[in-house]
Amino acid sequence: MEFNQYLLAQSKDERKIIAKTQFVQALVNGSLPQEARNYYVAQDHFYVDKFDEFFQAVFQKLPIQLQIKKPQANGLEAEAHEALKPSPDLSNIAVGEHNVAYLQHIEHAVKTSDPIAGILALLPCTESYHLLARDFTDQADPKFKAWFDYYTSSDYLAFTNWLWQSLNILVPEYQQISSTQLAEWEAIYHLAYQDEIKFWQAVPMDLDQVEFN
């Protein structure tokens, strides 16, 4: 078993929680209300901008042999956002505290000299989106099917696979890692998953719950 497979097995229950959130269930069956879509897209737009910045910082720390293997993606996250048909102006939606806390956790991991820590903080978002979309794509209502198509696309899968493969190359035999180091890495990974769960759970499913600027 490779390191990413070990981690996926460890985080299986966390992904089940995400799959059962109200937002995801409504996304799958096509009943996701406009207010929820607006809030999610506003939060994710803010998050993705920061995510890209943190990813570049981690990327620069990777060995050149891993950097040159990174696939050239053609898709943009905006495609997934547009698939949810948000309102044109979302500037009045405040950035959620859960979002800020998630990004602070990633930033802390990325600022260390260890690129593995950075990958582990970024990985739950990347892999969970692909796996979630893959598991529900056949059930997805046509209304939001383009969202599922984006996260199951060949480009997105290639990037996810590259992250997994990079992690496995950096940690070829995780069984031989000290228990202290392994626990530190797992803590970063699982905290990011807990933040990912909160990201989905924080989406208000009616207008009264939305916090405006």
Side-chain angles (χ1 to χ4, degrees):
M1 181 183 289
E2 294 189 291
F3 192 31
N4 85 290
Q5 295 171 322
Y6 166 79
L7 291 171
L8 284 173
Q10 296 295 312
S11 56
K12 184 177 180 180
D13 288 343
E14 287 152 318
R15 285 190 301 281
K16 285 182 179 179
I17 294 172
I18 293 172
K20 292 179 180 178
T21 58
Q22 283 185 287
F23 182 93
V24 170
Q25 290 299 306
L27 176 62
V28 173
N29 66 32
S31 66
L32 196 61
Q34 187 70 54
E35 292 77 16
R37 285 181 272 142
N38 288 348
Y39 184 85
Y40 168 83
V41 170
Q43 299 303 321
D44 203 47
H45 180 76
F46 181 83
Y47 173 89
V48 168
D49 283 349
K50 295 293 185 180
F51 182 100
D52 289 345
E53 176 185 325
F54 296 146
F55 170 76
Q56 290 303 321
V58 173
F59 183 77
Q60 296 304 318
K61 298 176 186 176
L62 295 176
I64 188 65
Q65 62 266 33
L66 294 181
Q67 292 186 13
I68 61 177
K69 290 181 179 180
K70 178 184 172 294
Q72 298 300 314
N74 295 317
L76 296 172
E77 206 92 16
E79 295 176 27
H81 294 165
E82 291 169 5
L84 298 182
K85 305 175 178 66
S87 299
D89 185 9
L90 306 178
S91 60
N92 64 328
I93 299 177
V95 176
E97 292 182 5
H98 66 286
N99 201 348
V100 174
Y102 191 176
L103 290 166
Q104 286 176 339
H105 169 59
I106 296 176
E107 182 176 23
H108 179 75
V110 167
K111 282 187 173 180
T112 69
S113 59
D114 178 15
I116 298 169
I119 290 177
L120 290 172
L122 296 168
L123 189 56
C125 174
T126 305
E127 68 183 16
S128 67
Y129 269 67
H130 169 67
L131 295 172
L132 183 74
R134 182 199 68 183
D135 291 348
F136 283 114
T137 190
D138 290 339
Q139 306 170 43
D141 185 277
K143 187 174 182 180
F144 304 124
K145 185 63 165 56
W147 187 93
F148 295 86
D149 291 343
Y150 175 83
Y151 290 109
T152 54
S153 67
S154 58
D155 279 351
Y156 195 87
L157 176 58
F159 178 70
T160 305
N161 278 329
W162 174 79
L163 271 182
W164 282 335
Q165 292 163 5
S166 297
L167 184 63
N168 293 336
I169 290 171
L170 291 169
V171 188
E173 297 181 348
Y174 74 90
Q175 300 92 335
Q176 297 184 18
I177 299 296
S178 72
S179 57
T180 300
Q181 179 63 83
L182 188 59
E184 289 179 4
W185 283 340
E186 287 185 10
I188 293 170
Y189 178 75
H190 284 292
L191 182 53
Y193 254 112
Q194 291 302 311
D195 285 333
E196 190 67 35
I197 290 170
K198 292 174 185 176
F199 194 93
W200 294 100
Q201 291 177 334
V203 178
M205 299 302 285
D206 60 66
L207 185 60
D208 291 339
Q209 295 176 292
V210 179
E211 182 178 341
F212 296 102
N213 282 318

